[in-house]
Structures are given as C-alpha cells and as structure tokens.
Amino acid sequence: MIIKTECSICEGSLEEIINLGECPPANNFVEKKNQDVESFPLIIDFCQQCYCIQLRHCLSKKELYSFYTYSTPQIDSLAKHYENLLKKLKELNFAQKSQSCIEIGSNNGNLLNFLKPHFNKVLGVDPASNIASIAIENGVETIIDFFSNKVAKKILEKNTKFDVAIARHMFAHNEDPSEMLSAMDKILDESGVFIIENAYAIDTFKNGEFDQIYHEHMFYFSALNINALMNKFNFELIDFEHAPVHGGSGVFICGKKGKHTIQKSVGKILSEEEKYFNDKKIFQNFREKIEATRKQVIELIAKDISSNKIVGAYGAPAKAFTVFSYYGLNHRNISFCVDTTPTKIGKVFPKFNIPIIAEDELADHDYDTLIVNAWNYKEDILKKSSSIFKKGTKLIFIIPNLEIYTVN
Ligand SMILES: [Zn+2]
C-alpha cells in the first residue's frame, strides 16, 4: 500500500475533502462468513493546484485484484451507450474498416464484440484471467496482462499502431497513470484517438455518489484534471462528452499534441469546472448530503427490523462495499444480497458477513425491503421489478436521492 502525501500529478499539497472510514477492498468476496480480510481507510484528497481528486491509501494490484469478480453485465442502458460511443467515433472519422482498435481493461469483451464489425482488427488487454477468458471464448482476441510498456512492445511485435484506444472505467484504477500513458504513446498512431471513460467527478460529488469511492478508484477525474495529466505527456484533451452511464460518466477524447482540432466542448467544460472547484462548495454539499441520507436510511432499516421485517440488498457491485461500510450495515440488519454475477453468487461480503444469493433464489426467501446498491441500473431494475420481486416489496434507492418504490 502507498499512502500519498502529495499530488500524484503535480506534486502540489493536498487537502482532505472526505473520510469514509475503513473498508475492505471492493470486489474481493470471500468463501465463508468471518473469513479475515484487512480493511483500509477511504480518504479523498484534493489538490488546489491542478484540481486532482485522489485516494490517499492506494493498494497494490495484488491487494486489489487477487479475488476479482467484476464482469460487465449485458444490459439495455449499456448497449445504448456502446451505440453512442460508436456514433462519436464515426463523427470523428474513426471506426473505419481499415482501422484498428485496442481496449485496455476489456473485461469480458462485450464492447469489442460490438465494435468488431466496424474495424479491421480489435484487440483487448485485461489482467483478470477468469474474466478475459470469457472474451476469448466469445472470439475477442485478448492479452491477459496489465497494460504496460512491456506489453505495448510485445503487441507492436505482431501489430501496427492502433487508430483507436479505449479505456472504460479503468483509467482511475492505477496509482500512477504515467506508465500507462507512456505505453499508450507507443501504441497509438500519430493521428489516433485515446478515449478515456470514467465516472465524472462533478457528477460524483454533485449527486452525492459516495459509493463511487472505493479502493479501485484512485482518481476522480474531471476534464481539468485529465487535461493537466495529458499535458504532462504527449497528449491533449480534444473533445469531451457527458454520458449517463454509471451515475454520470465523462468521455474524455484525447489525441497526440497538435494532431487534432480541439473541439469547442473542451473550453466550455474547463471553465464550467473551474467554477465548481474554486469555491470548493461542491465538497461541503457532498458531505452534508451523504450524511443526511445515511441517517435517514439507517432509521428506515431500524424501523423495519423493529417491526420484524426482513431487509436485504439488491446488487453486489464494488459500490456496495462502501455503502455497507459507511452506513455500518452487516448481516445483523441485511440478511442477504442478491446478484446475477455467477462469480459472486454463493460468496460472502467480507467484514459485513452478508451472503450473496442468485436472483432465482429470491422466491425461497422471506423479505420485505431491499436496499438497491445497483442504483446506476435503476431504470433497468424498475422495468423488470414485478417479475423479480414479490408484490409489495419496498425498494430503497439511496443515490442520487433517497427514493422508495413499492413493487406492484
Ligand atoms: Zn496537483
């Protein structure tokens, strides 16, 4: 583990903006209750100089990913997002039959499978062998490794440089982005684009999405921050788009310096963000909002339990670790957690001792209330709620605002 004492990007001094207490590393589920797993502080610092928002305690790859279980779900809202990404690429004259595309952190290959017909070649890189092998089985060529200078060199022995590189929701998963950026510089064609998609810091803090804060997320990127980071290397931000996925994501389109026309969206978003960060009210509002919701939810759960109702949770994403930890929930108040990911079912949340069950096991369980952790798939969940949950089930969404639905 590394404890950051200065800004990772500009070495400026840091200011603490949020402390969520200690939590085990997300996505590391255990086989049985009471299995010992170490917890680490979740503290976020802000750099006044370059606006970088970063995690203070950064775990090593080994500490983070030894029992990794995330697999990209196949969901309507993501399919639509992939369509939009493709549309954006076409607008910028990419996704042509003669071009190639590489995805870093390609997970189970869903996006590359979708993009494949629009490129001459697609290639994935992902370190989680259990998940990457799903991509390979589905016909997406994937290198099982962390993307690095060494891997870039290996790739270039067999391939020409790539026209498009994509890194979705993984760029912030690294305490030092410099290795990845120098490898990216090697592998990307001079006129190519590098698309970074990440939870967008303004949404995260404005909406009170405290559960975006977990040990895998070492940075909370804004356009200002990405721009500062890119400028340190051979890149610049050339376009920006806001996407509704994962509670609000930033799509940062970068290219090598001086090779592209910088779109109007860049200047616009940079000045908008400066307003947010200069008075830092966004962080104070964030702290007040999440604390107020926490109190309300704890009260709701306590009330249910005192009237002999059974409370469970729906969704076991990484975010759930932060929710259980910050809210102080465990098997005493949350009886079970439902998830559809085969690698998680049958396992247990460490520390909180909450077992994970499959969706079709729900019918055999008694329950009255469910805390929905996968709030970023709210529309998808509400649409199918009457077919998954018992009539009368209370569904509690905590983010962006506390909302309660009754299944009918
Ligand atoms: Zn800085």
Side-chain angles (χ1 to χ4, degrees), residues 60 166 237 255 258 338 363-364 373:
S60 71
I166 301 175
L237 184 63
V338 182
D364 309 327
N373 289 317

Side-chain angles (χ1 to χ4, degrees), residues 7 9-12 47 49-50 52:
C7 173
I9 293 179
C10 76
E11 289 158 24
C47 170
Q49 220 163 273
C50 74
C52 183

Side-chain angles (χ1 to χ4, degrees), residues 86-102:
L86 179 63
K87 205 174 124 209
K88 186 79 209 172
L89 281 170
K90 296 258 187 211
E91 248 173 63
L92 296 166
N93 284 323
F94 288 95
Q96 312 279 330
K97 268 293 191 187
S98 59
Q99 297 177 335
S100 54
C101 174
I102 185 165

